[in-house]
Amino acid sequence: MEVRIDKEEIQRISGVNPRKCMRCGKCSATCPSYEEMEYHPHQFVYMVEEGLLEPLMKSASLFRCLSCFACVDRCPRNVEPAKLVEAVRLAVVRQQGENHMKVEQIPEIWDEDLPQQAIVSALRKYKK
C-alpha cells in the first residue's frame, strides 16, 4: 500500500511554513550530521517548498538527521527544518506498512535502561 503525500500534507504534519526560509544556510552550518547528509537542512526546506518529496523520501539523509534541533535554534526566521525532516520521515515510515509497532511488542524490546519516552515516541511514530 503506497501512501501519496504532498507538500501541503508535510507542512500540515510539521506545522512549518518553508516559504519563510531565506536560504541563509545557518541551519546547515550548525548541523552536526552535515558531512553525512546528501541533502542539508536548508536544501531539505527548499525541496519541501518546491514539492520535491520523492528524492527526499528515498534519501538516506532522512535517517541521518539526529533530530537535535540545532538547525531550529540557529534559524533567524524560525523555519524549524528538523520538524520538516521528522514529517517526511514519518510519511516514509507510514508508507512502509510493515513497520508499525504494536503494544504487544513492548515486552520484547523492554530494557530497564530504556527511557519510557522512547517507547511512547516509537508507538507514536510507528503506529498510524
Side-chain angles (χ1 to χ4, degrees), residues 48-127:
V48 169
E49 180 183 344
E50 294 298 314
L52 302 171
L53 299 177
E54 198 67 33
L56 292 177
M57 293 176 81
K58 293 179 179 178
S59 173
S61 295
L62 196 57
F63 298 98
R64 294 205 171 117
C65 171
L66 300 174
S67 299
C68 67
F69 286 78
C71 57
V72 172
D73 287 341
R74 189 78 169 133
C75 181
R77 307 270 314 231
N78 299 315
V79 175
E80 302 179 302
K83 288 186 178 182
L84 287 172
V85 172
E86 181 66 24
V88 175
R89 186 184 301 154
L90 181 60
V92 168
V93 167
R94 286 181 174 169
Q95 218 173 42
Q96 300 168 348
E98 70 278 357
N99 283 343
H100 297 289
M101 182 180 201
K102 298 183 178 27
V103 175
E104 302 82 44
Q105 294 173 299
I106 292 175
E108 297 170 20
I109 64 164
W110 185 256
D111 178 345
E112 290 296 322
D113 296 326
L114 184 67
Q116 290 178 353
Q117 293 90 339
I119 294 172
V120 172
S121 179
L123 281 171
R124 180 179 56 83
K125 289 179 184 178
Y126 294 105
K127 185 176 181 183

Side-chain angles (χ1 to χ4, degrees), residues 2-72:
E2 185 166 324
V3 178
R4 294 296 312 156
I5 192 96
D6 59 17
K7 69 180 185 177
E8 287 79 17
E9 181 70 5
I10 294 298
Q11 290 175 25
R12 186 191 66 73
I13 292 169
S14 67
V16 173
N17 179 1
R19 296 187 71 200
K20 293 183 350 184
C21 178
M22 62 183 182
R23 293 173 191 56
C24 66
K26 288 183 178 182
C27 57
S28 293
T30 193
C31 179
S33 296
Y34 182 89
E35 296 294 327
E36 303 297 321
M37 297 180 77
E38 177 182 4
Y39 300 114
H40 305 113
H42 74 283
Q43 293 169 319
F44 204 96
V45 172
Y46 172 77
M47 290 174 78
V48 169
E49 180 183 344
E50 294 298 314
L52 302 171
L53 299 177
E54 198 67 33
L56 292 177
M57 293 176 81
K58 293 179 179 178
S59 173
S61 295
L62 196 57
F63 298 98
R64 294 205 171 117
C65 171
L66 300 174
S67 299
C68 67
F69 286 78
C71 57
V72 172

